[in-house]
PDB file of all heavy atoms in Angstrom:
ATOM      1  N   THR A  97      15.129  14.892  20.533  1.00 91.00           N
ATOM      2  CA  THR A  97      13.723  15.162  20.217  1.00 91.00           C
ATOM      3  C   THR A  97      13.562  16.184  19.095  1.00 91.00           C
ATOM      4  O   THR A  97      12.456  16.399  18.618  1.00 91.00           O
ATOM      5  CB  THR A  97      12.987  15.686  21.456  1.00 91.00           C
ATOM      6  OG1 THR A  97      13.520  16.973  21.831  1.00 91.00           O
ATOM      7  CG2 THR A  97      13.122  14.715  22.624  1.00 91.00           C
ATOM      8  N   MET A  98      14.658  16.859  18.718  1.00 95.00           N
ATOM      9  CA  MET A  98      14.636  17.907  17.687  1.00 95.00           C
ATOM     10  C   MET A  98      13.686  19.053  18.034  1.00 95.00           C
ATOM     11  O   MET A  98      13.242  19.791  17.166  1.00 95.00           O
ATOM     12  CB  MET A  98      14.272  17.326  16.326  1.00 95.00           C
ATOM     13  CG  MET A  98      15.281  16.326  15.781  1.00 95.00           C
ATOM     14  SD  MET A  98      15.023  15.956  14.042  1.00 95.00           S
ATOM     15  CE  MET A  98      15.648  17.472  13.293  1.00 95.00           C
ATOM     16  N   GLY A  99      13.332  19.174  19.301  1.00 96.00           N
ATOM     17  CA  GLY A  99      12.470  20.261  19.731  1.00 96.00           C
ATOM     18  C   GLY A  99      10.988  19.949  19.672  1.00 96.00           C
ATOM     19  O   GLY A  99      10.162  20.818  19.994  1.00 96.00           O
ATOM     20  N   PHE A 100      10.625  18.725  19.268  1.00 98.00           N
ATOM     21  CA  PHE A 100       9.215  18.348  19.238  1.00 98.00           C
ATOM     22  C   PHE A 100       8.672  18.203  20.656  1.00 98.00           C
ATOM     23  O   PHE A 100       9.374  17.749  21.564  1.00 98.00           O
ATOM     24  CB  PHE A 100       9.028  17.017  18.501  1.00 98.00           C
ATOM     25  CG  PHE A 100       9.061  17.129  17.009  1.00 98.00           C
ATOM     26  CD1 PHE A 100      10.262  17.085  16.329  1.00 98.00           C
ATOM     27  CD2 PHE A 100       7.889  17.271  16.284  1.00 98.00           C
ATOM     28  CE1 PHE A 100      10.308  17.179  14.945  1.00 98.00           C
ATOM     29  CE2 PHE A 100       7.921  17.369  14.901  1.00 98.00           C
ATOM     30  CZ  PHE A 100       9.131  17.325  14.226  1.00 98.00           C
ATOM     31  N   ASN A 101       7.425  18.592  20.842  1.00 98.00           N
ATOM     32  CA  ASN A 101       6.731  18.349  22.104  1.00 98.00           C
ATOM     33  C   ASN A 101       6.208  16.916  22.089  1.00 98.00           C
ATOM     34  O   ASN A 101       5.533  16.511  21.141  1.00 98.00           O
ATOM     35  CB  ASN A 101       5.560  19.320  22.256  1.00 98.00           C
ATOM     36  CG  ASN A 101       6.012  20.767  22.273  1.00 98.00           C
ATOM     37  OD1 ASN A 101       6.468  21.272  23.289  1.00 98.00           O
ATOM     38  ND2 ASN A 101       5.897  21.438  21.131  1.00 98.00           N
ATOM     39  N   ILE A 102       6.517  16.156  23.125  1.00 98.00           N
ATOM     40  CA  ILE A 102       6.153  14.741  23.158  1.00 98.00           C
ATOM     41  C   ILE A 102       5.221  14.452  24.334  1.00 98.00           C
ATOM     42  O   ILE A 102       5.573  14.701  25.491  1.00 98.00           O
ATOM     43  CB  ILE A 102       7.403  13.853  23.240  1.00 98.00           C
ATOM     44  CG1 ILE A 102       8.288  14.050  21.999  1.00 98.00           C
ATOM     45  CG2 ILE A 102       7.008  12.382  23.386  1.00 98.00           C
ATOM     46  CD1 ILE A 102       9.585  13.271  22.032  1.00 98.00           C
ATOM     47  N   LEU A 103       4.045  13.942  24.015  1.00 98.00           N
ATOM     48  CA  LEU A 103       3.115  13.418  25.024  1.00 98.00           C
ATOM     49  C   LEU A 103       3.154  11.905  24.857  1.00 98.00           C
ATOM     50  O   LEU A 103       2.368  11.321  24.100  1.00 98.00           O
ATOM     51  CB  LEU A 103       1.705  13.963  24.803  1.00 98.00           C
ATOM     52  CG  LEU A 103       1.556  15.493  24.697  1.00 98.00           C
ATOM     53  CD1 LEU A 103       0.096  15.880  24.499  1.00 98.00           C
ATOM     54  CD2 LEU A 103       2.142  16.188  25.905  1.00 98.00           C
ATOM     55  N   ASP A 104       4.102  11.265  25.536  1.00 98.00           N
ATOM     56  CA  ASP A 104       4.296   9.842  25.306  1.00 98.00           C
ATOM     57  C   ASP A 104       3.142   9.034  25.900  1.00 98.00           C
ATOM     58  O   ASP A 104       2.271   9.569  26.609  1.00 98.00           O
ATOM     59  CB  ASP A 104       5.652   9.374  25.831  1.00 98.00           C
ATOM     60  CG  ASP A 104       5.842   9.582  27.324  1.00 98.00           C
ATOM     61  OD1 ASP A 104       4.838   9.645  28.066  1.00 98.00           O
ATOM     62  OD2 ASP A 104       7.011   9.672  27.754  1.00 98.00           O
ATOM     63  N   ALA A 105       3.111   7.751  25.582  1.00 98.00           N
ATOM     64  CA  ALA A 105       1.993   6.914  26.005  1.00 98.00           C
ATOM     65  C   ALA A 105       1.807   6.897  27.526  1.00 98.00           C
ATOM     66  O   ALA A 105       0.668   7.029  28.000  1.00 98.00           O
ATOM     67  CB  ALA A 105       2.160   5.499  25.455  1.00 98.00           C
ATOM     68  N   PRO A 106       2.879   6.757  28.321  1.00 98.00           N
ATOM     69  CA  PRO A 106       2.682   6.826  29.775  1.00 98.00           C
ATOM     70  C   PRO A 106       2.068   8.150  30.225  1.00 98.00           C
ATOM     71  O   PRO A 106       1.244   8.176  31.150  1.00 98.00           O
ATOM     72  CB  PRO A 106       4.107   6.637  30.329  1.00 98.00           C
ATOM     73  CG  PRO A 106       4.807   5.836  29.281  1.00 98.00           C
ATOM     74  CD  PRO A 106       4.262   6.355  27.978  1.00 98.00           C
ATOM     75  N   TRP A 107       2.479   9.263  29.579  1.00 98.00           N
ATOM     76  CA  TRP A 107       1.896  10.564  29.920  1.00 98.00           C
ATOM     77  C   TRP A 107       0.410  10.591  29.611  1.00 98.00           C
ATOM     78  O   TRP A 107      -0.398  11.091  30.403  1.00 98.00           O
ATOM     79  CB  TRP A 107       2.608  11.676  29.148  1.00 98.00           C
ATOM     80  CG  TRP A 107       2.329  13.060  29.643  1.00 98.00           C
ATOM     81  CD1 TRP A 107       3.086  13.804  30.508  1.00 98.00           C
ATOM     82  CD2 TRP A 107       1.202  13.899  29.302  1.00 98.00           C
ATOM     83  NE1 TRP A 107       2.504  15.030  30.735  1.00 98.00           N
ATOM     84  CE2 TRP A 107       1.350  15.116  29.999  1.00 98.00           C
ATOM     85  CE3 TRP A 107       0.092  13.731  28.486  1.00 98.00           C
ATOM     86  CZ2 TRP A 107       0.427  16.158  29.907  1.00 98.00           C
ATOM     87  CZ3 TRP A 107      -0.837  14.756  28.390  1.00 98.00           C
ATOM     88  CH2 TRP A 107      -0.669  15.954  29.092  1.00 98.00           C
ATOM     89  N   VAL A 108       0.038  10.049  28.463  1.00 98.00           N
ATOM     90  CA  VAL A 108      -1.378   9.993  28.077  1.00 98.00           C
ATOM     91  C   VAL A 108      -2.162   9.165  29.089  1.00 98.00           C
ATOM     92  O   VAL A 108      -3.232   9.581  29.550  1.00 98.00           O
ATOM     93  CB  VAL A 108      -1.542   9.406  26.667  1.00 98.00           C
ATOM     94  CG1 VAL A 108      -3.020   9.207  26.331  1.00 98.00           C
ATOM     95  CG2 VAL A 108      -0.887  10.300  25.627  1.00 98.00           C
ATOM     96  N   HIS A 109      -1.640   8.003  29.446  1.00 98.00           N
ATOM     97  CA  HIS A 109      -2.341   7.129  30.392  1.00 98.00           C
ATOM     98  C   HIS A 109      -2.476   7.786  31.763  1.00 98.00           C
ATOM     99  O   HIS A 109      -3.508   7.643  32.427  1.00 98.00           O
ATOM    100  CB  HIS A 109      -1.596   5.798  30.529  1.00 98.00           C
ATOM    101  CG  HIS A 109      -1.502   5.015  29.260  1.00 98.00           C
ATOM    102  ND1 HIS A 109      -2.531   4.945  28.345  1.00 98.00           N
ATOM    103  CD2 HIS A 109      -0.492   4.251  28.750  1.00 98.00           C
ATOM    104  CE1 HIS A 109      -2.172   4.172  27.329  1.00 98.00           C
ATOM    105  NE2 HIS A 109      -0.940   3.756  27.543  1.00 98.00           N
ATOM    106  N   SER A 110      -1.450   8.510  32.196  1.00 98.00           N
ATOM    107  CA  SER A 110      -1.442   9.111  33.536  1.00 98.00           C
ATOM    108  C   SER A 110      -2.291  10.378  33.617  1.00 98.00           C
ATOM    109  O   SER A 110      -2.950  10.633  34.626  1.00 98.00           O
ATOM    110  CB  SER A 110      -0.008   9.431  33.966  1.00 98.00           C
ATOM    111  OG  SER A 110       0.768   8.274  34.072  1.00 98.00           O
ATOM    112  N   ASN A 111      -2.259  11.197  32.567  1.00 98.00           N
ATOM    113  CA  ASN A 111      -2.901  12.512  32.618  1.00 98.00           C
ATOM    114  C   ASN A 111      -4.297  12.558  32.023  1.00 98.00           C
ATOM    115  O   ASN A 111      -5.064  13.465  32.314  1.00 98.00           O
ATOM    116  CB  ASN A 111      -2.015  13.540  31.912  1.00 98.00           C
ATOM    117  CG  ASN A 111      -0.741  13.823  32.682  1.00 98.00           C
ATOM    118  OD1 ASN A 111      -0.704  14.652  33.577  1.00 98.00           O
ATOM    119  ND2 ASN A 111       0.322  13.096  32.341  1.00 98.00           N
ATOM    120  N   GLY A 112      -4.617  11.613  31.163  1.00 98.00           N
ATOM    121  CA  GLY A 112      -5.975  11.520  30.648  1.00 98.00           C
ATOM    122  C   GLY A 112      -6.212  12.264  29.349  1.00 98.00           C
ATOM    123  O   GLY A 112      -5.410  13.091  28.902  1.00 98.00           O
ATOM    124  N   ILE A 113      -7.348  11.966  28.761  1.00 98.00           N
ATOM    125  CA  ILE A 113      -7.703  12.471  27.434  1.00 98.00           C
ATOM    126  C   ILE A 113      -7.847  13.987  27.421  1.00 98.00           C
ATOM    127  O   ILE A 113      -7.358  14.664  26.515  1.00 98.00           O
ATOM    128  CB  ILE A 113      -8.993  11.787  26.963  1.00 98.00           C
ATOM    129  CG1 ILE A 113      -8.716  10.297  26.692  1.00 98.00           C
ATOM    130  CG2 ILE A 113      -9.553  12.464  25.707  1.00 98.00           C
ATOM    131  CD1 ILE A 113      -9.953   9.455  26.564  1.00 98.00           C
ATOM    132  N   ASP A 114      -8.520  14.539  28.404  1.00 98.00           N
ATOM    133  CA  ASP A 114      -8.751  15.994  28.430  1.00 98.00           C
ATOM    134  C   ASP A 114      -7.425  16.759  28.452  1.00 98.00           C
ATOM    135  O   ASP A 114      -7.288  17.796  27.795  1.00 98.00           O
ATOM    136  CB  ASP A 114      -9.604  16.386  29.640  1.00 98.00           C
ATOM    137  CG  ASP A 114     -11.045  15.925  29.510  1.00 98.00           C
ATOM    138  OD1 ASP A 114     -11.466  15.594  28.378  1.00 98.00           O
ATOM    139  OD2 ASP A 114     -11.751  15.885  30.531  1.00 98.00           O
ATOM    140  N   ALA A 115      -6.459  16.251  29.206  1.00 98.00           N
ATOM    141  CA  ALA A 115      -5.154  16.914  29.281  1.00 98.00           C
ATOM    142  C   ALA A 115      -4.439  16.849  27.941  1.00 98.00           C
ATOM    143  O   ALA A 115      -3.772  17.814  27.534  1.00 98.00           O
ATOM    144  CB  ALA A 115      -4.302  16.271  30.374  1.00 98.00           C
TER     145      ALA A 115
END
Side-chain angles (χ1 to χ4, degrees):
T97 66
M98 296 193 74
F100 281 86
N101 299 280
I102 298 177
L103 307 181
D104 60 25
W107 194 96
V108 174
H109 298 322
S110 297
N111 291 275
I113 292 165
D114 290 343

